[in-house]
C-alpha cells in the first residue's frame, strides 16, 4: 500500500531536523514537505534530507493551502493513504506507523491533543484552546462526529476519499471547511 507523510512547514528551521529524525525512527516511507514560503533557513535545512520530497511556495500561502497541496500531490501520485503532521512538535511522530496500521478502511483518522491529558504535555494557550473547543463542539453538533480536537494537525486520510472534496480555505480556517465537506 502506497503511503505518504505530509509536513507543512513555515519558518520551522529549529524543529525540522528533530522532527525528521523522529519520523525516520519509526517510518521509512515517503515524506512530502510543503515549505510555505519560509523566510528563515527552513528551505536550506529541508534540502539536507535527500530522501524527502519538497514542494515550495514562493510566498506564505497559509496552512490550509499547504495541506490542500499535499492532498493534491497524494492524489496525483497514486498514494492510497497519507498522514499529516505539523512541524512544531505538538504531535508525536512515533504514532505515524500506528495511524497507518489502525486506519483500516476509514476515510479520516483524527488525532487529538486533548483526548488524554499527560503531565509531560505543555498546556495550550488558553485563548486557542477555548476557540478550538467552541468550534469543535459546533462541528460535532452539525455533523454528529465525536471530535475532541477539530484543529489537530495529525490525521490519517484515505486518499481516494479526498477526491470529491473542493477545498479552498488557505488559512487556519481549513479544518472547518474540511470537516463540513467530509461530513457531506
Amino acid at each position: 500500500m502506497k503511503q505518504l507523510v505530509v509536513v507543512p512547514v513555515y519558518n520551522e528551521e529549529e524543529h525540522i531536523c528533530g522532527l525528521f529524525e523522529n519520523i525516520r525512527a519509526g517510518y521509512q516511507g515517503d515524506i512530502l514537505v510543503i515549505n510555505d514560503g519560509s523566510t528563515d533557513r527552513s528551505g536550506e535545512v529541508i534540502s539536507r534530507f535527500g530522501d524527502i520530497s519538497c514542494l515550495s511556495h514562493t510566498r506564505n500561502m497559509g496552512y490550509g493551502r499547504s495541506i490542500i497541496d499535499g492532498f493534491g500531490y497524494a492524489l496525483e501520485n497514486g498514494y492510497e493513504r497519507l498522514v499529516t503532521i505539523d512541524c512544531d512538535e505538538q504531535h508525536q511522530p512515533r504514532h505515524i506507523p500506528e495511524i497507518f496500521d489502525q486506519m483500516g478502511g476509514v476515510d479520516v483518522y483524527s488525532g487529538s491533543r486533548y483526548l488524554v491529558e499527560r503531565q509531560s504535555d505543555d498546556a495550550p494557550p488558553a485563548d486557542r484552546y477555548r476557540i478550538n473547543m467552541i468550534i469543535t463542539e459546533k462541528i460535532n453538533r452539525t455533523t454528529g462526529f465525536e471530535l475532541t480536537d477539530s484543529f489537530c494537525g495529525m490525521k490519517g486520510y484515505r486518499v481516494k476519499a479526498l477526491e470529491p472534496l473542493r477545498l479552498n480555505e488557505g488559512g487556519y480556517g481549513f479544518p472547518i471547511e474540511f470537516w463540513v465537506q467530509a461530513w457531506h
Side-chain angles (χ1 to χ4, degrees):
M1 180 167 295
K2 198 169 175 186
Q3 300 177 149
L4 176 68
V5 171
V6 174
V7 184
V9 170
Y10 177 68
N11 290 343
E12 296 284 357
E13 70 179 279
E14 67 208 46
H15 299 288
I16 293 169
C17 286
L19 177 71
F20 291 166
E21 288 167 5
N22 287 328
I23 290 173
R24 284 294 185 221
Y27 170 78
Q28 301 306 311
D30 295 348
I31 299 173
L32 173 68
V33 175
I34 311 293
N35 183 4
D36 190 25
S38 295
T39 57
D40 65 357
R41 294 182 30 239
S42 291
E44 191 179 308
V45 175
I46 293 164
S47 69
R48 293 184 205 155
F49 294 86
D51 65 335
I52 293 174
S53 300
C54 182
L55 296 177
S56 293
H57 298 157
T58 55
R59 63 180 176 78
N60 182 254
M61 298 178 73
Y63 177 81
R65 180 80 258 155
S66 294
I67 298 296
I68 292 166
D69 288 350
F71 289 175
Y73 181 93
L75 285 161
E76 291 168 13
N77 290 282
Y79 287 93
E80 295 172 61
R81 294 189 295 188
L82 72 88
V83 167
T84 56
I85 183 170
D86 294 345
C87 193
D88 59 5
E89 300 183 324
Q90 289 188 46
H91 315 299
Q92 300 296 320
R94 72 175 186 269
H95 295 300
I96 291 169
E98 292 172 36
I99 293 172
F100 281 130
D101 289 344
Q102 294 177 10
M103 279 182 67
V106 301
D107 292 339
V108 183
Y109 187 101
S110 186
S112 175
R113 295 165 291 181
Y114 312 124
L115 184 61
V116 177
E117 201 172 317
R118 293 183 176 87
Q119 296 293 356
S120 61
D121 292 345
D122 292 335
D127 59 337
R128 286 188 185 179
Y129 177 78
R130 184 178 55 76
I131 291 167
N132 188 338
M133 292 301 101
I134 291 168
I135 292 173
T136 297
E137 192 275 323
K138 288 182 182 202
I139 289 170
N140 287 339
R141 195 169 350 120
T142 301
T143 65
F145 295 159
E146 296 178 9
L147 303 172
T148 58
D149 182 2
S150 62
F151 285 88
C152 182
M154 189 168 201
K155 291 183 181 59
Y157 302 88
R158 188 173 62 85
V159 174
K160 191 84 168 153
L162 301 172
E163 279 183 334
L165 305 182
R166 298 296 171 247
L167 302 166
N168 297 304
E169 173 53 49
Y172 282 106
F174 169 81
I176 300 168
E177 180 183 52
F178 172 79
W179 286 120
V180 170
Q181 286 195 31
W183 173 60
H184 280 285

